[in-house]
Amino acid sequence: MDCNFAEVDPTLASDPRVILNLLALERSTMPPCDYFRNIQRDIQPFMRKVVTTWMLEVCDEQRCEEQVFPLAVNYMDRFLCMCPISRQQFQLLGAVCLLLATKIRQCYALTTDLLCAYTDYSVSPDEIRNWELLLLATLQWNLSGTTGYDFVDHILERVKWGRENLHIRQHALTLVSVCQTETMFMQSSPSVLACSCICAATRGIKAPSAKFSLHDVCRLTQCDPLEVELTVRHIENVVAKETAAMQKQYGPVKVQQYPIPGKMATGMDCGELGQPETPTDVQDVYL
């Protein structure tokens, strides 16, 4: 991972056109439908949870830039809205999305050989290269997807309390990643998701200014406060569910921890999966 980051540009941080442009662009790269109902016949929602969890774990182990994973999931969801696949091809699609997202959002792309190794060699480099062309053609080379990650920093730079606690950003970005693995947030707009994750983060770490966060972020992003509040409640339910599963497996956890899916999965075959009671294992993530 490249650790050399540019400093905040005060011109961009104070220009309201940045968020307005993001709001204008987000609809064009959102999944247009619930593909489980209309397009996909051989894959099910819990399989998406398994594959996106695997993608997140690959990104975590390879120390990818934080924006890679949300963009890869965006590619995957948009592709699945247009092209039916079999369950045996699901992990291959996830690997291809990771490959393209690292090419777009970080300096060093994951290699095809490395991605094949993460699938326990259930896919070949030639398959990844062929599907890369298929994905590009299906998305019409529109790879500049807008994600919840893109909004978080711009929102926090524009609210007075955004820099009071550096943990707010870390927790918010963790929650954005967690939400990407949940099917219920698949068609949530990136702006609403970012606002909700920031609000959930401020409440989760009991930031002093949390009571002002909902009004501030909704004003900036023109989001409906009721929609954001409802999404926050869904996020808190997801965190509670994952935390309960983590406590069951690993024992009591500390306050101010958000779980993310954890145990590395390789060589998964969605064709052999039955729906588990708990779709994934979780592990402690210290932020």
Side-chain angles (χ1 to χ4, degrees):
M1 182 175 67
D2 184 5
C3 295
N4 297 315
F5 296 103
E7 295 182 358
V8 175
D9 186 334
T11 302
L12 291 177
S14 60
D15 193 334
R17 293 177 298 176
V18 176
I19 289 184
L20 292 177
N21 287 338
L22 286 173
L23 291 171
L25 292 171
E26 68 174 352
R27 291 289 173 184
S28 64
T29 55
M30 284 177 55
C33 67
D34 181 353
Y35 49 78
F36 291 112
R37 293 185 178 183
N38 304 318
I39 308 296
Q40 303 299 331
R41 301 300 180 190
D42 196 38
I43 61 175
Q44 300 178 37
F46 82 91
M47 297 178 185
R48 180 186 182 277
K49 171 78 171 181
V50 173
V51 173
T52 53
T53 297
W54 172 80
M55 293 166 66
L56 178 56
E57 291 160 353
V58 172
C59 289
D60 182 57
E61 188 161 297
Q62 288 300 310
R63 300 180 63 82
C64 293
E65 301 289 350
E66 294 166 317
Q67 60 265 46
V68 166
F69 174 66
L71 186 62
V73 176
N74 176 267
Y75 292 162
M76 185 183 73
D77 287 336
R78 288 161 57 197
F79 179 87
L80 292 175
C81 287
M82 293 181 276
C83 185
I85 65 171
S86 69
R87 61 184 66 188
Q88 289 79 14
Q89 297 169 322
F90 210 164
Q91 191 179 25
L92 170 59
L93 174 61
V96 173
C97 292
L98 286 176
L99 175 64
L100 277 176
T102 55
K103 288 182 177 181
I104 297 297
R105 289 294 182 102
Q106 68 181 34
C107 296
Y108 304 101
L110 299 179
T111 66
T112 55
D113 289 337
L114 180 65
L115 290 167
C116 289
Y118 272 113
T119 68
D120 201 19
Y121 300 99
S122 62
V123 303
S124 69
D126 283 340
E127 286 179 309
I128 291 180
R129 284 188 284 267
N130 290 335
W131 272 64
E132 181 181 13
L133 293 175
L134 174 62
L135 182 64
L136 288 168
T138 303
L139 299 184
Q140 298 181 341
W141 291 78
N142 183 8
L143 303 182
S144 300
T146 303
T147 68
Y149 176 94
D150 297 317
F151 282 92
V152 170
D153 281 330
H154 289 292
I155 293 172
L156 292 179
E157 284 294 331
R158 288 165 173 79
V159 293
K160 295 180 180 179
W161 45 266
R163 287 179 167 268
E164 287 181 5
N165 189 330
L166 296 180
H167 291 297
I168 293 177
R169 179 183 183 274
Q170 294 174 324
H171 283 292
L173 293 179
T174 298
L175 290 175
V176 169
S177 294
V178 171
C179 290
Q180 296 297 322
T181 68
E182 298 291 333
T183 304
M184 73 172 70
F185 301 114
M186 190 170 62
Q187 289 188 274
S188 297
S189 66
S191 55
V192 169
L193 196 61
C195 291
S196 303
C197 289
I198 290 173
C199 293
T202 57
R203 296 177 187 181
I205 64 176
K206 297 179 172 60
S209 303
K211 62 182 180 180
F212 304 111
S213 62
L214 182 61
H215 170 75
D216 292 341
V217 297
C218 290
R219 175 180 51 81
L220 278 171
T221 58
Q222 304 173 8
C223 292
D224 181 356
L226 293 178
E227 182 181 6
V228 172
E229 181 63 39
L230 180 61
T231 306
V232 170
R233 293 180 185 179
H234 287 316
I235 292 172
E236 290 172 342
N237 288 337
V238 168
V239 171
K241 180 185 69 174
E242 297 287 0
T243 301
M246 183 167 61
Q247 290 176 333
K248 182 178 180 180
Q249 183 167 358
Y250 297 100
V253 297
K254 295 179 181 180
V255 180
Q256 299 184 8
Q257 285 182 315
Y258 285 111
I260 65 171
K263 192 174 180 180
M264 180 59 65
T266 59
M268 69 181 70
D269 181 359
C270 289
E272 298 176 359
L273 290 175
Q275 184 166 4
E277 293 180 3
T278 302
T280 57
D281 294 331
V282 290
Q283 65 181 4
D284 292 2
V285 177
Y286 294 87
L287 297 176

